[in-house]
């Protein structure tokens, strides 16, 4: 089988997951990597001697290697320029890490560039492939708790870095229904930044989907600190709870049996979520059809996050589409409004 040639930009932590993902596929092979830091290139080449070409300049790599697929594994403020460059270099598909970017203006640059070159853009919300969520979604879809009313999510961490996954999962359980409005509040006292952008200390958000489903999310230090990506689904006829990281189970109560019924899951027995993310990206490029980690979906998540910030700024709910194209959190911090 001929293998798609893959190049990775940014050889830090998450690049290892991309190596594992691409490496699990018969039809892909990582042939090059780029990082601005020589120390990272050295570490990477010791760990993955099978990757033949390493570069300090990612643009040179794109130019010389002309990869079929590009993984963008850098911090969010760099995603737009790197996706634009990979699309211009002729990549068929791009697996860009989450969060897609810091602002809707940047997301739109990425989408426009990919549409112009015919490149398929995927965003790394690979948790949609985690078994505990997919099994719970399958139970929801066959009506085990009746019609979905509310989704609650608990996630320590911050909205951009961590709750980008939680909000994407809210969208997943709500069948990607468009959002009608968002009401949010954030607290930002410590002035922290992560992955090259400012983050809040705590956030609460209420997301009203057009389908009528409501989403509620608690992040940062207002969320129980033991909870990372824990989800609760309330339906007309029952309830499902899905464990967070380190809690590989989901459980259901619905009147079919007395009390809660718990299902343990073994993610590693299945294909790992990153391999599913890359496998289906290749399938999407080759065959078209639907894909669950699209750039448009990544943008929808950034739109909700920035609507939470803007709602906090305006002290009112934000109806979507959001016409605010900057990063409201960065703006509020620059203006001493938090
Ligand atoms: N999908 C997930 O579950 C998941 C998990 C962890 C992190 N992430 C995301 O992955 C992204 C990267 O996180 P990380 O933990 O790997 O960060 P990291 O700091 O470990 O790695 C980033 C790498 O990018 C390199 N870099 C910086 N500027 C560069 C440039 N101009 N050209 C080439 N390389 C450059 C850095 O030297 C570094 O090696 C973030 O957006 C983060 O939110 C996603």
């Amino acid at each position: 089988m001929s293998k798609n040639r893959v190049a990775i930009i940014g050889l830090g932590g998450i690049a290892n997951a991309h190596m594992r993902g691409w490496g699990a596929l018969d039809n892909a092979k990582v042939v090059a990597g780029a990082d601005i830091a020589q120390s990272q290139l050295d570490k990477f080449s010791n760990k993955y001697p099978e990757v033949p070409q390493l570069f300090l300049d990612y643009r040179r790599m794109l130019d010389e290697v002309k990869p079929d697929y590009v993984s963008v594994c850098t911090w969010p403020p760099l995603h737009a320029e790197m996706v634009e460059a990979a699309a211009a270099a002729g990549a068929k598909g791009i697996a860009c890490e989450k969060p897609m970017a810091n602002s809707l203006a940047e997301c739109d640059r990425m989408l426009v560039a990919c549409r112009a070159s015919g490149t398929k853009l995927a965003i790394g919300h690979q948790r949609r492939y985690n078994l505990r969520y997919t099994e719970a979604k399958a139970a929801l879809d066959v009506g085990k708790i009746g019609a979905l009313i509310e989704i609650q999510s608990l996630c320590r961490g911050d909205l951009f870095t961590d709750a980008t996954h939680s909000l994407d999962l809210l969208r997943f359980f709500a069948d990607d229904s468009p959002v009608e409005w968002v009401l949010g509040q954030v607290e930002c006292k410590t002035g922290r930044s992560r992955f090259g952008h400012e983050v809040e200390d705590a956030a609460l958000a209420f997301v009203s989907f057009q389908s009528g489903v409501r989403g509620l999310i608690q992040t940062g230090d207002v969320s129980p600190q033991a909870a990372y990506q824990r989800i609760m689904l309330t339906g007309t006829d029952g309830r499902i709870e899905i464990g967070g990281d380190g809690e590989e189970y989901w459980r259901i109560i619905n009147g079919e049996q007395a009390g809660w019924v718990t299902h343990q899951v073994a993610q590693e027995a299945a294909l790992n979520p990153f391999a599913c993310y890359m496998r289906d990206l290749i399938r999407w490029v080759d065959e078209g059809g639907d894909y669950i980690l699209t750039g448009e979906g990544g943008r929808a998540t950034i739109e909700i996050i920035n609507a939470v910030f803007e709602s906090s700024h305006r002290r009112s709910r934000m109806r979507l589409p959001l016409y605010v194209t900057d990063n409201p959190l960065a703006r509020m911090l620059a203006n001493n409004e938090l």
Side-chain angles (χ1 to χ4, degrees):
M1 177 181 287
S2 80
K3 294 199 185 244
N4 288 291
R5 297 162 58 259
V6 180
I8 301 181
I9 306 174
L11 305 179
I14 204 62
N16 293 294
H18 282 240
M19 283 299 293
R20 222 174 56 231
W22 294 115
L25 307 180
D26 293 337
N27 56 354
K29 181 178 165 57
V30 178
V31 296
D35 199 289
I36 202 166
Q38 184 62 49
S39 57
Q40 292 292 78
L41 291 180
D42 294 342
K43 231 168 36 187
F44 189 85
S45 76
N46 281 336
K47 196 162 177 189
Y48 304 108
E50 70 275 21
V51 178
Q53 291 182 279
L54 295 179
F55 297 79
L56 277 166
D57 178 347
Y58 81 89
R59 290 181 187 275
R60 211 180 118 211
M61 173 179 76
L62 293 174
D63 204 35
E64 288 185 18
V65 176
K66 297 247 176 298
D68 299 308
Y69 288 83
V70 176
S71 278
V72 174
C73 294
T74 51
W75 294 359
L78 294 170
H79 291 176
E81 68 162 68
M82 290 174 170
V83 165
E84 284 175 330
K92 293 190 283 189
I94 299 172
C96 175
E97 262 318 315
K98 63 81 204 163
M100 182 169 174
N102 290 341
S103 68
L104 287 182
E106 289 170 354
C107 293
D108 288 338
R109 276 173 50 196
M110 295 159 77
L111 291 171
V112 165
C114 289
R115 276 182 210 131
S117 58
T119 304
K120 301 278 201 225
L121 176 61
I123 304 297
H125 288 131
Q126 81 288 340
R127 283 172 181 272
R128 284 186 182 226
Y129 291 105
N130 277 52
L131 276 185
R132 60 184 195 270
Y133 302 122
T134 57
E135 287 185 8
K137 177 78 162 68
L140 173 70
D141 287 348
V142 296
K144 291 283 183 191
I145 58 167
L148 182 62
I149 299 170
E150 188 170 281
I151 312 162
Q152 282 195 50
S153 166
L154 301 176
C155 178
R156 65 171 188 270
D158 64 87
L159 278 174
F160 261 116
T161 311
D162 306 286
T164 178
H165 281 302
S166 324
L167 285 166
D168 182 68
L169 288 170
L170 246 59
R171 294 183 50 253
F172 174 62
F173 285 108
D175 287 331
D176 292 312
S177 165
V179 170
E180 192 179 8
W181 53 260
V182 173
L183 182 64
Q185 178 61 277
V186 299
E187 179 178 275
C188 197
K189 298 287 185 214
T190 58
R192 288 180 311 135
S193 69
R194 294 178 73 197
F195 296 97
H197 53 83
E198 286 107 341
V199 296
E200 80 291 345
D201 301 315
L204 295 171
F206 187 151
V207 180
S208 179
F209 291 94
Q210 282 181 15
S211 60
V213 171
R214 309 142 53 103
L216 289 163
I217 178 160
Q218 303 170 32
T219 75
D221 56 23
V222 292
S223 167
Q225 292 305 287
Y228 192 81
Q229 314 296 351
R230 215 180 267 164
I231 302 242
M232 281 84 74
L233 308 173
T234 304
T236 48
D237 302 325
R239 201 170 151 89
I240 289 174
E241 290 185 6
I242 308 161
D245 284 16
E247 306 167 323
E248 296 295 319
Y249 73 92
W250 63 282
R251 62 181 194 156
I252 183 165
I253 187 162
N254 61 2
E256 280 183 11
Q257 293 181 57
W260 288 95
V261 178
T262 300
H263 301 265
Q264 300 291 336
V265 299
Q267 181 67 46
E268 290 306 322
L271 206 49
N272 82 61
F274 280 88
C276 299
Y277 157 26
M278 279 106 198
R279 175 200 65 199
D280 288 354
L281 171 59
I282 295 177
R283 201 175 282 164
W284 188 35
V285 166
D286 289 345
E287 301 169 19
D290 293 331
Y291 178 55
I292 59 170
L293 303 182
T294 62
E296 283 78 6
R299 185 194 188 279
T301 300
I302 299 299
E303 186 180 26
I304 298 173
I305 294 173
N306 280 341
V308 173
F309 294 142
E310 191 64 19
S311 170
S312 178
H313 169 62
R314 296 194 196 185
R315 296 182 189 153
S316 70
R317 74 182 75 181
M318 297 303 300
R319 295 200 176 275
L320 268 48
L322 182 72
Y323 292 108
V324 172
T325 55
D326 66 350
N327 180 317
L329 181 68
R331 176 183 4 103
M332 286 192 285
L333 285 166
N335 295 339
N336 283 324
E337 288 172 359
L338 281 166

